[in-house]
Amino acid sequence: QLERGCALHTAHRDGLSSVSSQDVPERPRAVFHTSESDPAKHTEQHEGRLYNIPLEEVNAVFPHGLPQRFQQQIRTFNEARVMVRKPALELLAYLKGSNLTHPAVRYVIYGERGTGKTMTLCHVVHYCSRQGWLVLHIPDAHLWVKNCKELLQSSYNKDRLDQPLQASVWLKNFKTSNERFLQEIKTQKKYMWGKRESTEEGRPLMEVVEQGLARVRSASDAVGVLLKELKQQSHRGSFRLLVAVDGVNALWGQTTLRKEDKSPVSPEELTLVHNLRKMVKNDWSGGAIVTTLSQTGSLFKPSSAYTPQELLGKEGFDALDPFVPIPVPNYSAKEFESCYGYYLERRWLQHEKARTEDGKAELQFLSGSNPRQLDRLAGPL
Amino acid sequence: RIMPVRWNRYDPSYLEPEVKKESYQRPLEELTEEEREQMELKAVRLIKAAPPTLSSSVFSDPMISKFTNMMMKSGNKVLARNLMSQTLENIKRKQLEKYHKAPENEKETIECNPYVIFHQALKNCQPIIGLSNITRGGKTYQVPVPLTDNRKRFLAMKWLITECRENKHRRTMMPEKLSQELLLAFNNEGPVIKRKHVLHKMAEANRAYAHFRWW
């Protein structure tokens, strides 16, 4: 109890110092909030605090990146608050100090179920979009290897299979987040879409995306062309590229899809997965690759698996090796305090016993300081 | 194999288990003579096994547990409990959205606590007087009869659940249907309140037969 009081005290002192250095807000927000909404300026001082992302930015930067529960929370509370945590600060420090002329460094965020890996990825994506990087955000690679209604044989390569629906959905979301880059970057080769349509050399990449959206049959090829162009042009330095993949273990696992003769499809036979694998290889420079492992959407993996070795398998590990592993633990005592305080302040914890010390201790014990369990427990309370 | 249906399997000397944390944290001096005797008795006598529905959590509510048990089908308590928690969360979300959009002076009138809404809705749905079938001279009459508290609670919960299960669109999820019904009942509107009023009117119409009751 004594150390809890001390932690709150130091946080209060830090809060006072950070508030006095910036403009004083209209009404005093509590200790666990910070008015610093630019991830570039987040330091250890802001650890455990929640920062606000304005709603217009959320729609522009994250058309498809945020987890479902978090999107519901944004709608209920009318604001998007993300907690600044140690793994995210570590990643941001690496990105700030990285040399862009060297080949792209791969970062793998791993951790147990529900500890905040996707939210860390979203924090990094927000930082990069604020800094003006081109963000290639794949919200969940598992969506591309399961539950596909239509599988077309690819016209480019006879062995591979196309997924028009998934590719077109992704292209649409990619267009909303990176409009201005697509106007500036030009293609370097002529591409033929079938017998009659083609994109000339030197046209902006927006036309490739429009082509993919208009002709859904060639959407996967459009995605492939987009990735190839971005990879070739990133080393020039006119833009910096961030490849953010959530659930990267889907690229090297198994799929639940079957061909028409009921034989199983392996991931290499899908065009989207094939192109993404080339993107995640570190043979290009001028950016970074940040990936997340995920057991929740994974196929044929036990639920207790969370380490890179278990989830990626031998093939995936060798393909991603060398990488920088970033473990994401459960909430520390300070982070739990701030999350609990935020729920109380937003009137999310309505039960009268939830405000007492007993209720708080019970919540901490039942959730084991796991962010997802805490969210699910606090729902009905 | 004999299952204990009507008679208790336990010996009468067995005592009930005490679950509340506060009762064990009181120092010895605070207890009166009887309570000290009770404590010494508990140290000697055998204690019944605690049923799985009995919880020492500060958040447990006997009415909510009763409602979840009534919603349960073929012993699937996990599903029933998940549905109940999703219902409470739904109610909270709807009320919070209304709260954040309302102007300042109306904010206090909006109730956001799902437990308060649940209890108030149940209270609003409880009938005051019921009907029972009594046969006299070959004919069955519907006689107005007072109801016990347990029966009132049971009828309110039963009406809510049957209303959600039968009279709604097939594809809506149970938490959505239930949260809508509970919010309507909280404001004294909706089909369940109507059913209660219909029962009251029938009882009022059959007032003449009230003397058939012998208890």
Side-chain angles (χ1 to χ4, degrees):
Chain A
Q1 249 189 0
L2 189 62
E3 60 159 358
R4 219 188 319 142
C6 285
L8 276 175
H9 239 6
T10 46
H12 191 62
R13 252 190 300 126
D14 294 330
L16 280 178
S17 59
S18 72
V19 161
S20 59
S21 59
Q22 295 139 22
D23 303 339
V24 177
E26 314 82 41
R27 57 185 177 92
R29 285 316 284 265
V31 175
F32 42 80
H33 287 296
T34 170
S35 44
E36 188 60 73
S37 76
D38 188 8
K41 304 205 190 108
H42 286 159
T43 58
E44 272 101 36
Q45 211 193 42
H46 296 101
E47 197 193 309
R49 314 268 195 88
L50 298 131
Y51 80 98
N52 189 20
I53 311 181
L55 288 172
E56 312 85 38
E57 248 188 276
V58 165
N59 287 335
V61 175
F62 297 116
H64 55 177
L66 299 168
Q68 276 287 1
R69 288 280 304 190
F70 190 67
Q71 281 173 5
Q72 277 181 330
Q73 192 183 300
I74 295 180
R75 259 174 272 144
T76 316
F77 295 167
N78 239 6
E79 61 174 10
R81 289 250 160 205
V82 177
M83 195 187 278
V84 177
R85 293 180 75 189
K86 241 201 215 118
L89 287 172
E90 202 185 313
L91 244 184
L92 291 181
Y94 291 155
L95 283 177
K96 281 178 203 170
S98 62
N99 187 343
L100 295 168
T101 48
H102 290 177
V105 184
R106 284 178 289 210
Y107 304 94
V108 172
I109 307 176
Y110 71 98
E112 305 219 334
R113 255 218 259 188
T115 45
K117 305 183 281 283
T118 314
M119 292 310 291
T120 319
L121 192 71
C122 292
H123 192 162
V124 172
V125 162
H126 184 217
Y127 163 77
C128 290
S129 66
R130 274 276 185 131
Q131 296 286 307
W133 292 39
L134 206 176
V135 170
L136 205 76
H137 187 35
I138 288 110
D140 195 359
H142 292 295
L143 296 173
W144 290 354
V145 299
K146 56 180 178 177
N147 298 342
C148 181
K149 299 274 168 36
E150 286 180 16
L151 270 180
L152 298 173
Q153 203 190 23
S154 162
S155 48
Y156 181 70
N157 186 337
K158 281 288 172 298
D159 299 324
R160 296 205 213 124
L161 296 162
D162 260 358
Q163 285 156 302
L165 295 167
Q166 274 93 336
S168 57
V169 159
W170 184 79
L171 274 176
K172 201 164 72 159
N173 288 326
F174 181 67
K175 200 170 105 165
T176 41
S177 54
N178 292 317
E179 297 237 26
R180 66 177 179 97
F181 280 111
L182 291 173
Q183 299 290 355
E184 290 165 1
I185 307 173
K186 312 282 182 208
T187 56
Q188 285 180 328
K189 230 180 76 166
K190 184 176 159 178
Y191 295 104
M192 297 291 297
W193 311 107
K195 288 187 201 147
R196 273 160 251 165
E197 288 134 3
S198 71
T199 312
E200 304 294 323
E201 192 179 320
R203 306 294 299 162
L205 275 183
M206 182 61 97
E207 290 201 4
V208 173
V209 175
E210 301 279 336
Q211 173 71 34
L213 285 173
R215 293 267 174 275
V216 185
R217 292 186 81 100
S218 55
S220 327
D221 292 325
V223 172
V225 160
L226 190 71
L227 296 183
K228 196 162 94 170
E229 286 294 322
L230 289 174
K231 195 162 152 176
Q232 279 170 352
Q233 296 189 21
S234 62
H235 69 90
R236 289 207 205 136
S238 54
F239 63 91
R240 290 161 292 177
L241 181 62
L242 175 80
V243 179
V245 186
D246 203 335
V248 74
N249 47 329
L251 302 181
W252 287 282
Q254 293 163 287
T255 70
T256 44
L257 307 172
R258 286 188 180 253
K259 291 187 254 211
E260 270 147 15
D261 53 355
K262 311 273 182 171
S263 60
V265 174
S266 71
E268 305 70 65
E269 293 176 26
L270 296 165
T271 18
L272 290 172
V273 173
H274 184 86
N275 292 322
L276 201 54
R277 277 198 200 180
K278 283 194 280 188
M279 207 63 200
V280 173
K281 226 165 32 157
N282 60 348
D283 50 1
W284 52 278
S285 62
I289 307 173
V290 183
T291 65
T292 311
L293 294 179
S294 162
Q295 195 281 327
T296 7
S298 69
L299 298 159
F300 308 106
K301 291 275 183 276
S303 57
S304 54
Y306 72 96
T307 54
Q309 183 74 36
E310 287 164 354
L311 281 176
L312 288 170
K314 187 169 178 321
E315 211 190 311
F317 200 89
D318 292 332
L320 272 187
D321 203 19
F323 59 83
V324 176
I326 298 183
V328 180
N330 284 328
Y331 278 155
S332 64
K334 187 171 162 202
E335 287 168 344
F336 180 82
E337 296 273 339
S338 74
C339 189
Y340 174 78
Y342 177 54
Y343 284 154
L344 273 184
E345 190 229 0
R346 277 274 111 182
R347 297 173 142 250
W348 185 236
L349 286 172
Q350 285 277 330
H351 200 178
E352 47 299 326
K353 287 290 166 78
R355 281 171 236 274
T356 60
E357 289 299 316
D358 278 340
K360 187 165 156 190
E362 194 171 318
L363 275 176
Q364 187 162 21
F365 174 71
L366 283 177
S367 64
S369 297
N370 183 296
R372 177 186 285 181
Q373 287 302 325
L374 180 63
D375 184 39
R376 293 181 85 161
L377 282 171
L381 285 177
Chain B
R1 194 166 161 238
I2 307 170
M3 297 297 288
V5 174
R6 210 181 294 276
W7 299 281
N8 212 339
R9 198 82 176 121
Y10 283 113
D11 208 57
S13 62
Y14 277 67
L15 302 166
E16 298 286 335
E18 175 64 52
V19 182
K20 285 199 292 209
K21 234 184 348 182
E22 289 84 30
S23 63
Y24 291 115
Q25 279 163 351
R26 290 157 69 185
L28 269 172
E29 296 80 34
E30 264 190 32
L31 306 177
T32 59
E33 279 305 316
E34 316 159 335
E35 280 166 345
R36 266 177 237 211
E37 275 179 31
Q38 189 73 10
M39 255 184 70
E40 274 159 39
L41 189 64
K42 278 196 181 167
V44 181
R45 289 285 184 91
L46 290 163
I47 313 246
K48 292 188 197 173
T53 44
L54 192 64
S55 122
S56 64
S57 151
V58 289
F59 302 122
S60 62
D61 188 351
M63 288 270 254
I64 302 267
S65 332
K66 210 30 138 206
F67 198 79
T68 11
N69 286 342
M70 285 179 72
M71 267 214 293
M72 172 166 65
K73 276 189 180 176
S74 44
N76 197 346
K77 181 75 93 114
V78 174
L79 183 62
R81 202 176 132 141
N82 283 340
L83 289 175
M84 195 68 217
S85 46
Q86 280 169 37
T87 313
L88 293 168
E89 200 183 318
N90 256 346
I91 298 177
K92 199 170 30 160
R93 264 189 221 274
K94 287 184 190 172
Q95 290 295 94
L96 271 180
E97 274 179 29
K98 248 197 282 186
Y99 177 88
H100 284 300
K101 285 191 194 143
E104 283 299 327
N105 49 348
E106 279 177 23
K107 280 201 177 177
E108 276 110 35
T109 52
I110 299 179
E111 178 60 56
C112 291
N113 192 339
Y115 292 85
V116 163
I117 292 182
F118 179 78
H119 286 271
Q120 187 60 41
L122 272 190
K123 230 192 283 187
N124 289 348
C125 288
Q126 281 176 12
I128 307 173
I129 191 169
L131 291 172
S132 110
N133 301 347
I134 295 186
T135 326
R136 279 289 169 86
K139 262 177 74 173
T140 339
Y141 299 98
Q142 299 272 334
V143 175
V145 123
L147 298 169
T148 56
D149 271 335
N150 279 342
R151 179 80 186 153
K152 287 182 197 168
R153 276 195 285 263
F154 170 77
L155 277 176
M157 292 199 251
K158 187 85 181 170
W159 287 343
L160 270 171
I161 295 177
T162 28
E163 171 64 38
C164 285
R165 278 185 186 161
E166 282 158 28
N167 295 352
K168 300 283 177 194
H169 185 56
R170 178 180 68 95
R171 295 268 293 190
T172 30
M173 297 285 127
M174 188 67 172
E176 221 182 280
K177 296 188 271 204
L178 246 188
S179 55
Q180 204 181 24
E181 280 303 314
L182 283 170
L183 282 171
L184 286 175
F186 177 70
N187 296 326
N188 270 318
E189 296 152 356
V192 190
I193 302 284
K194 230 171 115 177
R195 187 165 170 176
K196 173 182 91 152
H197 287 327
V198 160
L199 181 66
H200 284 175
K201 282 194 192 122
M202 283 276 288
E204 187 61 34
N206 286 9
R207 266 179 79 155
Y209 300 125
H211 62 91
F212 279 165
R213 183 173 61 96
W214 63 84
W215 61 87

